[in-house]
Amino acid sequence: MSVVIVTGGSRGIGAEVCEQAAASGYDVVVNYAGDASAAADVAARVESHGRRALAVRGDVSSESDVVSLFDAAVSLGPLYGLVNNAGIVGRSARLADQDVSTVRRVMDVNVVGVFLCCREAVRRMTDGGAIVNVTSTAARLGSAGEWVHYAASKAAVETLTFGLAQEVAASGIRVNAVAPGLVNTGFHATAGVPDRLDRLGPAQPMGRAGDPAEIAAAVLWLLSPAASYASGAVLPISGGR
């Protein structure tokens, strides 16, 4: 069977992508940055669907870690898919009050990390494949007063998605992105604003935040043969926002 690598696969949207990928018949490499127990739990969920799983620790901003991640994936079989889900936001602050160390770290993980993983993927997808990058509606909305630096990093990923899609189309590799809106994960608490979902959820056009499973379903569609003519697309999954 084909293998899919999911970066940041131990929690939130990434964990749901791993489980839905397994339910769709893929073997899954669960990449994680620090929580080995959570990654092991996700791997067990993958295996409960009768698929093989491999949990691999690695910082996507580290070239050596990314190369090791992709080398490890070979043990499961040929690489078909990559889901670039790993990402960080840093603390919430106006741009004038943001520190440069936070901005650099966000860019390293969110932009350089996606670049490195895409590079290693296209080097190995000799029989074609599919890449799905997880961006954000922040790339379009700007996240003024909160995370302008994060929004900028996701806009960069959307540009990378479009450009790489054109580069590798003739090789049978499709590159797309999903842009989630407000989603019910631990993302906001990590950024120091645990009440953000409660504050903003009711103000969404659909009156609620999204569920990680709803985002994962879109990712799996873009990975699948059903999306065979989709490449260079950014699909907003944002409840109408």
Side-chain angles (χ1 to χ4, degrees):
M1 266 310 289
S2 297
V3 175
V4 171
I5 295 174
V6 182
T7 68
S10 64
R11 60 183 180 175
I13 293 169
E16 289 293 337
V17 170
C18 289
E19 185 162 11
Q20 289 192 27
S24 298
Y26 298 105
D27 295 325
V28 182
V29 178
V30 183
N31 162 254
Y32 67 100
D35 193 339
S37 177
D41 287 345
V42 174
R45 287 161 57 185
V46 168
E47 291 169 347
S48 74
H49 291 279
R51 307 312 316 165
R52 294 179 299 163
L54 182 65
V56 180
R57 184 171 186 167
D59 180 347
V60 296
S61 71
S62 163
E63 183 173 19
S64 60
D65 280 9
V66 170
V67 171
S68 295
L69 167 65
F70 279 78
D71 286 345
V74 174
S75 67
L76 292 185
L79 179 64
Y80 166 77
L82 165 66
V83 180
N84 278 310
N85 169 74
I88 60 173
V89 67
R91 69 185 184 95
S92 176
R94 292 175 59 85
L95 186 145
D97 300 319
Q98 192 59 268
D99 58 272
V100 71
S101 61
T102 294
V103 174
R104 283 182 172 145
R105 180 59 181 159
V106 167
M107 293 296 175
D108 277 349
V109 173
N110 295 5
V111 182
V112 176
V114 171
F115 161 77
L116 288 171
C117 289
C118 284
R119 187 190 72 182
E120 295 308 307
V122 299
R123 286 176 172 177
R124 290 166 172 80
M125 290 177 171
T126 54
D127 295 320
I131 296 172
V132 182
N133 298 321
V134 179
T135 69
S136 170
T137 54
R140 171 171 51 86
L141 299 173
S143 290
E146 295 182 308
W147 299 305
V148 170
H149 62 290
Y150 170 78
S153 75
K154 292 302 188 178
V157 172
E158 293 191 359
T159 300
L160 184 154
T161 298
F162 183 59
L164 182 60
Q166 295 175 72
E167 281 191 2
V168 298
S171 300
I173 302 172
R174 297 182 297 104
V175 187
N176 293 288
V178 295
L182 195 67
V183 181
N184 188 14
T185 68
F187 181 84
H188 303 91
T190 301
V193 284
D195 65 335
R196 192 169 187 266
L197 287 171
D198 293 333
R199 286 189 290 107
L200 300 182
Q204 304 305 298
M206 291 183 67
R208 65 175 177 87
D211 186 86
E214 294 173 304
I215 312 304
V219 171
L220 265 294
W221 178 75
L222 286 170
L223 283 176
S224 78
S228 58
Y229 199 53
S231 199
V234 177
L235 179 60
I237 310 292
S238 59
R241 183 165 183 251

